[in-house]
Amino acid sequence: MAQNLYGPRVRIGNWNEDVYLEEMQLSVSEDGYIHYGDKVMLVSPDHPETEADLFLRGDLSLCMTPDEIKAHLSNELEVPCGISAAQIKIPVGRNTFTILCAAGEVIGQVLRYGQNFRLGITGGFDDRMLYLSSDHRTLLKSSKRSWLQEVSLTHEDSYLNCWQAAFPDPQLRLEYEGSPVPANTKILITHCHTNRGLVAHRHLFLRNYFGKEAEVAAHTYLDSHRVEKPKNHWMLVTGAPRKDLSTMLDLPKPPAEDTRALEQVREQVSDPGAGNTPDVHACVPQCALPM
């Protein structure tokens, strides 16, 4: 009688997939900032793609993308390992990164704008750390779809693994230099060696082991005002303090103050038993009044 010789320690095929998709626990930020040693997701916030009709919608998380054939044949992570952006909203082995020190920083220290850091990932394996890395484009080395500067994962510890966070508004960027990097807020992530911004190409698809995902590269896109485009925006997403939620993105957003004021006015006006009906125009914020 045939026996099943495969188990959790023999990771080939679907066993590898189970490791990559195992749910992880993100760090919870008590002060609202990112710290060295935090486990986070790198998320490209949802935005409309103006350069193409077909593109991946929603928030996209940065994911490791091992070669499909090598994932079946090897028990270890092959390097260099590919990177993509996928519609995955929960932290799993392939999209949970650790903020690592670059030059003598202390674990637990707050990460600041303009300060070097590295992004490491284990992919669900405990015995190996891979680093997000990039280098100048060459004829033999570039991203698969856009032919721009390639981004990949490597086990080598070098300056090519160093990145910096920058404030999105260029007019305020110098003022924010040295300030703590907030969690779950739009920032820019720039490669230190090449000064290229991390970007998710939502309209350039990659077919891989996990389905259709978007290409990730290193390139800075500027608009007519010399401001980085939304495709260069990222968020370092932390865990939610509530046990029933995975990330801070799962928390319900409070309604805007103007919206709450309008709702209160509608309730008071629609209540027939109200003795003193307030002046609608006095309660509605000035910005909400029709011109």
Side-chain angles (χ1 to χ4, degrees):
M1 183 175 65
Q3 295 181 350
N4 185 3
L5 302 180
Y6 301 130
R9 294 176 181 235
V10 184
R11 292 167 175 152
I12 65 173
N14 289 333
W15 290 110
N16 260 334
E17 183 177 356
D18 292 339
V19 173
Y20 298 139
L21 299 181
E22 180 182 358
E23 189 165 355
M24 307 289 285
Q25 189 73 31
L26 299 180
S27 301
V28 177
S29 177
E30 297 180 356
D31 56 5
Y33 298 119
I34 297 296
H35 307 78
Y36 287 100
D38 283 353
K39 291 185 177 181
V40 300
M41 288 172 53
L42 275 74
V43 174
S44 172
D46 183 27
H47 66 273
E49 180 61 63
T50 59
E51 299 180 1
D53 295 330
L54 296 178
F55 57 92
L56 291 182
R57 302 178 183 271
D59 295 337
L60 303 182
S61 62
L62 189 69
C63 297
M64 65 180 303
T65 308
D67 182 84
E68 183 174 355
I69 297 179
K70 294 180 180 179
H72 281 274
L73 299 179
S74 176
N75 296 335
E76 298 181 354
L77 293 172
E78 295 291 333
V79 291
C81 181
I83 281 288
S84 61
Q87 296 171 315
I88 303 178
K89 297 184 178 180
I90 60 174
V92 294
R94 64 184 297 244
N95 71 349
T96 301
F97 288 81
T98 304
I99 306 295
L100 300 174
C101 305
E105 297 83 4
V106 180
I107 295 295
Q109 178 181 342
V110 175
L111 176 66
R112 300 180 181 275
Y113 286 115
Q115 196 171 23
N116 291 0
F117 66 94
R118 295 183 296 166
L119 291 164
I121 187 171
T122 62
F125 297 87
D126 298 328
D127 56 348
R128 196 173 194 183
M129 179 72 75
L130 299 183
Y131 307 102
L132 191 68
S133 180
S134 187
D135 201 355
H136 289 288
R137 177 183 59 176
T138 66
L139 293 176
L140 301 178
K141 187 177 182 181
S142 61
S143 55
K144 295 181 179 179
R145 296 295 309 278
S146 62
W147 301 99
L148 296 173
Q149 184 173 310
E150 184 183 34
V151 177
S152 62
L153 294 169
T154 179
H155 65 285
E156 298 178 356
D157 184 5
S158 70
Y159 186 64
L160 299 179
N161 308 335
C162 293
W163 303 81
Q164 286 186 359
F167 193 73
D169 189 342
Q171 295 183 347
L172 300 176
R173 192 167 298 164
L174 188 60
E175 297 182 17
Y176 276 86
E177 192 81 8
S179 300
V181 176
N184 313 298
T185 304
K186 292 180 182 178
I187 62 172
L188 303 175
I189 299 180
T190 305
H191 189 237
C192 295
H193 179 62
T194 61
N195 199 32
R196 298 288 192 275
L198 190 67
V199 59
H201 291 139
R202 294 170 173 265
H203 62 295
L204 298 179
F205 305 136
L206 297 176
R207 298 282 183 176
N208 57 43
Y209 187 73
F210 302 96
K212 183 171 69 174
E213 298 179 348
E215 182 194 71
V216 173
H219 187 78
T220 303
Y221 288 90
L222 302 176
D223 60 17
S224 59
H225 301 286
R226 305 294 297 174
V227 178
E228 286 81 3
K229 293 184 178 181
K231 62 179 65 181
N232 279 121
H233 292 172
W234 295 87
M235 294 189 297
L236 299 177
V237 177
T238 58
R242 291 171 48 177
K243 294 183 179 180
D244 59 329
L245 301 177
S246 299
T247 72
M248 289 295 292
L249 297 181
D250 298 328
L251 288 176
K253 296 181 180 180
E257 294 182 1
D258 290 348
T259 305
R260 287 200 299 267
L262 288 172
E263 291 176 351
Q264 292 175 0
V265 171
R266 294 191 185 99
E267 291 175 359
Q268 293 173 353
V269 173
S270 61
D271 185 2
N276 297 322
T277 302
D279 184 7
V280 175
H281 294 283
C283 297
V284 179
Q286 189 66 29
C287 62
L289 292 175
M291 299 301 292

